[in-house]
Amino acid sequence: MSDFAALQQELRRLAAERDVVILAHNYQRPEVQDAADHTGDSLELSRIAAADPHSVILFCGVHFMAETAYILSPQKTVLMPDKRAGCPMADMVTVAGLRKLKAEHPDAVVVSYVNTSAEIKAETDVCCTSANAVQIVERFPRDQKIIFVPDRNLGDYVARQTGREDTMILWQGWCHVHDDFRAAEIEELRAANPDSVLMAHPESRREVLEIADVVTSTSGMLRYPETSDARTFIVATETGLLYKLGKLYPDRTFIPASKQAVCPNMKRTTLEKAVATLSDEWDDVLEHEVVVPEPIRVKALAAVERMLA
Ligand code: 13P
Ligand code: SF4
């Protein structure tokens, strides 16, 4: 038995014993994804976290995702194998900065990407994910001013898709993994693979989205090949997604838009840490617990629930 198989077995045993559901984002390490009860994009995982009956959630992802699970289900214990797994883009927007922008635009509503802290969600009218950002913005009247935080690339994409470039005010944050893709490099890959289809995550720059055949969330990319006759796909997102793509479509070829597209925070979670979090020897589980102060949670919940509705 491989080391991974033994650890996965131990993790599954502990999870069953302690009434734990294991959720893993699509960027997690393959061996972590394989041990999870559910994998998915940010939207799917928040829906699962809200509906799942287990009393404990072990969240294999980054901090804002575990926080969102707690916001939705405060009666549950939400644990992370490594709480240092944050999202640098989420940290690019501060409460003071957002309040200042709101004061400058008192007639604007705030739409926040879920890649934000609970404190920012508490200052937000409605959250969105990469899977539903266009739909959420479209719910507002065409002339409604919208402050969009924190991702300038997703914000720019949504503004163009909805024809609201004049009414959306974009926070200038970015995801270092997606913002690093370059159209010129991708064009070289395309030239070498002439019949390939380019799938790009909307956290990528405009120059990349403009040449993409499909722009969608991570789970959108997992579904897309099913509807396409193409044999080769260039994938402009974190390389963790290629594992599941390869598993789902073993007869297709998936090429990373850049081999450097790795999110170190997503990779902080390992099987060893997941086992240690749930193991009997682990004497201080609080070290892994993610909680949000109640007054902030209640305000943040309103923004998350509006999204899910
Ligand atoms: P999605 O899985 O929701 O597309 O999110 C991408 C991401 O960067 C999460 O950190
Ligand atoms: Fe944040 Fe980008 Fe990493 Fe996702 S991939 S957690 S957006 S830094």
Side-chain angles (χ1 to χ4, degrees):
M1 192 187 284
S2 75
D3 287 355
F4 283 158
L7 284 166
Q8 283 163 343
Q9 218 172 64
E10 178 62 356
L11 186 60
R12 298 301 326 159
R13 185 188 71 76
L14 288 163
E17 195 178 289
R18 299 194 159 186
D19 194 31
V20 180
V21 63
I22 303 173
L23 307 184
H25 186 264
N26 290 327
Y27 295 157
Q28 288 290 294
R29 295 168 186 270
E31 63 276 14
V32 173
Q33 293 192 37
D34 284 345
D37 294 289
H38 306 280
T39 56
D41 67 8
S42 310
L43 182 62
E44 291 168 343
L45 292 179
S46 59
R47 286 194 192 282
I48 294 167
D52 183 87
H54 292 81
S55 59
V56 182
I57 297 173
L58 182 66
F59 215 116
C60 301
V62 289
H63 198 265
F64 74 81
M65 297 179 176
E67 261 189 355
T68 306
Y70 179 83
I71 289 167
L72 287 161
S73 310
Q75 75 285 6
K76 296 178 192 168
T77 302
V78 180
L79 304 173
M80 285 181 75
D82 187 336
K83 266 169 68 173
R84 294 170 305 165
C87 170
M89 174 164 68
D91 296 338
M92 286 177 187
V93 53
T94 61
V95 171
L98 179 54
R99 284 191 181 154
K100 186 166 171 280
L101 197 58
K102 281 165 82 169
E104 285 163 17
H105 302 280
D107 50 341
V109 295
V110 179
V111 178
S112 290
Y113 194 22
V114 280
N115 298 43
T116 45
S117 66
E119 287 81 5
I120 293 295
K121 289 186 177 78
E123 297 282 327
T124 293
D125 293 288
V126 56
C127 288
C128 69
T129 73
S130 58
N132 62 17
V134 169
Q135 283 165 274
I136 298 275
V137 165
E138 268 174 347
R139 293 250 176 88
F140 290 100
R142 171 65 192 81
D143 56 353
Q144 173 66 56
K145 239 194 217 183
I146 295 174
I147 294 173
F148 188 90
V149 297
D151 187 7
R152 64 184 181 202
N153 293 333
L154 177 64
D156 176 61
Y157 173 70
V158 173
R160 284 182 296 119
Q161 286 295 112
T162 60
R164 293 170 187 242
E165 281 153 297
D166 52 339
T167 49
M168 282 181 70
I169 302 146
L170 309 184
W171 192 270
Q172 294 298 305
W174 68 90
C175 161
H176 67 98
V177 179
H178 292 87
D179 196 65
D180 275 2
F181 294 124
R182 289 293 178 275
E185 286 167 27
I186 294 174
E187 292 291 20
E188 277 176 32
L189 285 173
R190 267 183 152 174
N193 300 277
D195 295 324
S196 59
V197 161
L198 172 61
M199 301 195 288
H201 194 279
E203 288 174 15
S204 311
R205 290 183 175 206
R206 186 192 285 202
E207 65 176 49
V208 171
L209 301 182
E210 275 177 352
I211 61 165
D213 298 294
V214 53
V215 176
T216 185
S217 74
T218 54
S219 288
M221 291 187 197
L222 292 174
R223 286 188 291 267
Y224 185 76
E226 217 173 276
T227 66
S228 164
D229 293 333
R231 309 316 297 165
T232 307
F233 297 81
I234 298 171
V235 185
T237 196
E238 213 270 355
T239 55
L241 195 72
L242 274 82
Y243 170 65
K244 208 161 158 192
L245 281 167
K247 228 168 103 167
L248 286 170
Y249 308 101
D251 56 335
R252 319 275 185 106
T253 304
F254 298 97
I255 303 168
S258 161
K259 286 190 182 130
Q260 271 79 53
V262 177
C263 176
N265 281 287
M266 282 286 179
K267 307 305 181 207
R268 275 188 188 273
T269 300
T270 60
L271 265 185
E272 286 84 352
K273 289 181 196 171
V275 170
T277 306
L278 300 187
S279 76
D280 295 334
E281 294 82 53
W282 198 267
D283 49 6
D284 194 1
V285 89
L286 291 182
E287 227 176 276
H288 296 271
E289 196 172 358
V290 175
V291 286
V292 177
E294 192 58 13
I296 292 175
R297 188 193 72 81
V298 172
K299 285 193 201 161
L301 178 65
V304 176
E305 277 185 334
R306 262 178 231 126
M307 167 183 86
L308 294 177

